[in-house]
Amino acid sequence: MNQNYTSNNNSSVSKVTAFARLKEQQYALNMQIRLAMQIHDAKGQKELELEMAKLMERMHQVSV
């Protein structure tokens, strides 16, 4: 039973770590999107927004 608890605990830590990395990527993408908006780079902004949508999906999968 202790081994099962350890396994579940390690899994939870892995999820938290993965989610934290994804949040950092989200922050970086937000900054890139803001920059694209400021320099009026519509194509770049659209590409970054698509990348953000994929990132948000990964975040949702990790959080479940």
Side-chain angles (χ1 to χ4, degrees):
M1 184 153 133
N2 190 21
Q3 184 179 10
N4 189 26
Y5 173 76
T6 302
S7 177
N8 287 340
N9 193 31
N10 287 341
S11 177
S12 295
V13 170
S14 294
K15 279 187 171 185
V16 169
T17 303
F19 194 78
R21 270 193 240 117
L22 291 171
K23 288 293 286 182
E24 289 175 3
Q25 290 176 7
Q26 180 188 34
Y27 177 81
L29 274 173
N30 277 329
M31 293 299 107
Q32 291 174 346
I33 290 169
R34 289 182 66 189
L35 178 60
M37 291 170 71
Q38 289 175 350
I39 63 172
H40 305 288
D41 181 3
K43 182 181 176 191
Q45 182 181 345
K46 187 67 175 171
E47 290 171 359
L48 291 166
E49 288 172 348
L50 290 173
E51 192 173 336
M52 178 67 81
K54 292 176 187 176
L55 177 67
M56 296 298 290
E57 179 59 32
R58 287 195 310 255
M59 290 174 75
H60 177 71
Q61 290 171 355
V62 168
S63 68
V64 173

